[in-house]
Amino acid sequence: MACERNASVQRPAVVAELEGNWRATLALPGGELPFGLIFARDGERWNAEIVNGDDRIRVTEIELSGNALTVQMPGYENRLSATLAGEAMQGELTMLKPGGKEQVIAFAARRGAMYRFVNPAAPGDAASVGAPADVSGRWAVTFDGNGQPSPAIGEFRQRGNEVVGTFLTPTGDHRYLAGDVVGNTLKLAKFDGGHVFLYEAQLAPDGTMQGQFWSGTGYHETFSARRDAKAELASAYDTTKMREGQQRLNFSFPDLDGKPVSSRDRRFAGKVLVVALAGSWCPNCHDEAAFLAPLYAEYREQGLEIVSLMFEQFGDMPRAVEATERFRARYGIEYTTLIAGTSDKQDAALRMPELTGVFAFPTTIFIDRRGTVRRIHSGFAGPATGEHYEKLKSGFTALITELLNETA
């Protein structure tokens, strides 16, 4: 997109090289993962949008020095670095992994249409294999990684070749996915700043689906699916329980200033307390925080307190605090956030001994005014899941309202 020029306004040439729409790709073992980037200038500052089908993620931490570009992913510690060269850019995405290890993924982008796998300007390639298969609707899915199968639900909408949707699992959802069907091959992808997901599946004559799933450069699963309009997952309230004989959750962890905060502190006495086991690296935790932050503002005067126990990718306190502060700023969080441990479910379970285990981030614990744990919810189905998200929000709100209406 060319910049407008006049006698009184002269933008540097590099502005014309960055502004506009870009089709970006990440190089994974399963192939190229495409997504959209839109760069714009607001005065002296840059902003961008990451485009995944129906989803738009606003990015504001952008640095451009000459032809060197750095993009900090919103609410995450992940960053994109690239060099601009005319109508193209190349570089790498650095993803922070458990233990503070870095995973580096090759990145490239070219200015122009932000299509996924099928270029609408060159429809011959897709048309040559015939009409696309229909994958719309609900599917019963089984993911299998290293011989450990787990159930899921696929929800897809299709228009021509284009497909959007998501997978719901017992620990959350895969968020907004977008892609195409070419013949009997389905391809889906997602990069949202937090996760790098790529899928490819073949539809068999009997209507079933066999596919592969890649997460970043180091994780791979296969999956199978069959269409099932009534497919359901087990209740997320049945995954984690309190151990026999336990009714109260006891914790004590440092806040962002290093001061210990305990579940026994007077600030929580007689209050309804929601405890969320979360991490800034966890996209489903981002979805939950986007819901909890305004909920807290609405109900805090009625006696609601929320504490997020943050399990971060690294063990040292300063880096964990920095990551949590970025997370708080992203969603305008005003409730308490404590540094509880590292991003490992076994570590989290050891630090929460009253629970039968920690099987998902987030795990959300609802405690009444008397300090009794009433319900525990594993995972979070975010806005990409449509009606599932609306049902979850109404259920959480109804439960909190019920607990607030009880006397201490």
Side-chain angles (χ1 to χ4, degrees):
M1 181 183 295
C3 294
E4 295 181 359
R5 297 181 180 274
N6 56 47
S8 61
V9 178
Q10 293 291 328
R11 291 182 177 179
V14 73
V15 174
E17 293 180 359
L18 183 59
E19 284 184 325
N21 297 350
W22 296 77
R23 181 180 183 267
T25 59
L26 298 169
L28 298 190
E32 285 191 341
L33 184 160
F35 63 98
L37 278 172
I38 304 174
F39 287 98
R41 191 179 178 98
D42 182 9
E44 296 300 313
R45 300 180 64 85
W46 287 100
N47 61 69
E49 284 187 333
I50 300 173
V51 181
N52 284 287
D54 298 333
D55 194 26
R56 300 290 189 274
I57 300 170
R58 182 172 172 81
V59 185
T60 58
E61 292 185 75
I62 300 172
E63 293 185 9
L64 183 62
S65 178
N67 65 348
L69 173 70
T70 302
V71 180
Q72 183 71 46
M73 295 301 125
Y76 299 97
E77 295 297 285
N78 307 324
R79 66 186 182 277
L80 180 68
S81 303
T83 301
L84 281 72
E87 300 296 298
M89 65 175 85
Q90 285 190 321
E92 58 189 30
L93 171 71
T94 302
M95 304 281 290
L96 198 67
K97 295 297 180 179
K101 296 180 180 179
E102 294 184 344
Q103 183 180 98
V104 178
I105 303 173
F107 161 85
R110 181 163 292 276
R111 185 192 310 282
M114 298 182 299
Y115 62 91
R116 300 300 268 200
F117 299 93
V118 174
N119 185 352
D125 291 343
S128 65
V129 296
D134 178 16
V135 300
S136 58
R138 180 176 295 189
W139 296 72
V141 183
T142 300
F143 283 94
D144 193 339
N146 300 320
Q148 298 179 338
S150 61
I153 294 174
E155 298 266 16
F156 305 119
R157 304 191 311 277
Q158 183 173 346
R159 185 179 62 182
N161 290 95
E162 297 179 356
V163 179
V164 295
T166 194
F167 291 101
L168 293 88
T169 78
T171 60
D173 69 283
H174 288 202
R175 303 182 96 197
Y176 291 92
L177 310 179
D180 299 283
V181 177
V182 178
N184 290 323
T185 300
L186 169 66
K187 292 186 177 183
L188 294 167
K190 179 198 78 171
F191 171 63
D192 59 5
H195 276 168
V196 177
F197 286 174
L198 178 66
Y199 314 75
E200 182 171 328
Q202 303 294 324
L203 276 80
D206 64 0
T208 61
M209 191 187 305
Q210 300 292 328
Q212 299 187 74
F213 163 55
W214 295 269
S215 175
T217 61
Y219 189 78
H220 173 255
E221 286 186 339
T222 60
F223 67 91
S224 59
R226 57 179 175 79
R227 202 184 297 272
D228 184 352
K230 297 182 179 180
E232 297 286 347
L233 296 173
S235 172
Y237 288 103
D238 293 334
T239 304
T240 293
K241 300 288 188 181
M242 296 293 287
R243 291 191 181 277
E244 186 175 352
Q246 299 289 338
Q247 292 185 317
R248 293 177 176 269
L249 189 73
N250 298 305
F251 62 80
S252 179
F253 298 110
D255 64 14
L256 303 191
D257 294 321
K259 298 177 181 178
V261 174
S262 168
S263 55
R264 300 178 184 274
D265 289 351
R266 287 183 58 83
R267 71 167 90 173
F268 303 126
K271 302 286 186 70
V272 171
L273 179 60
V274 175
V275 179
L277 279 57
S280 66
W281 50 272
C282 160
N284 291 142
C285 300
H286 281 243
D287 287 336
E288 185 182 53
F291 167 67
L292 290 180
L295 187 80
Y296 180 61
E298 181 177 357
Y299 288 101
R300 64 189 300 181
E301 294 300 323
Q302 299 180 39
L304 174 66
E305 288 292 338
I306 298 177
V307 174
S308 187
L309 305 182
M310 304 297 286
F311 291 85
E312 291 300 322
Q313 299 279 46
F314 19 70
D316 60 297
M317 184 74 173
R319 292 192 69 185
V321 168
E322 181 181 357
T324 300
E325 287 177 337
R326 188 182 301 278
F327 181 73
R328 289 178 63 88
R330 169 71 172 162
Y331 300 103
I333 293 172
E334 296 182 342
Y335 53 79
T336 302
T337 46
L338 308 179
I339 306 301
T342 58
S343 56
D344 179 85
K345 294 170 187 174
Q346 291 184 343
D347 178 50
L350 289 173
R351 295 171 187 269
M352 313 299 295
E354 296 90 354
L355 304 181
T356 56
V358 175
F359 306 101
F361 290 105
T363 291
T364 311
I365 304 163
F366 298 86
I367 303 172
D368 66 20
R369 292 183 184 273
R370 295 177 296 277
T372 302
V373 173
R374 298 285 286 273
R375 306 208 64 182
I376 303 174
H377 187 278
S378 294
F380 192 84
T385 68
E387 64 181 53
H388 304 275
Y389 175 57
E390 297 302 324
K391 182 179 179 181
L392 185 151
K393 287 196 302 179
S394 62
F396 273 25
T397 304
L399 176 57
I400 288 170
T401 301
E402 177 187 337
L403 296 180
L404 287 171
N405 288 335
E406 296 177 353
T407 57

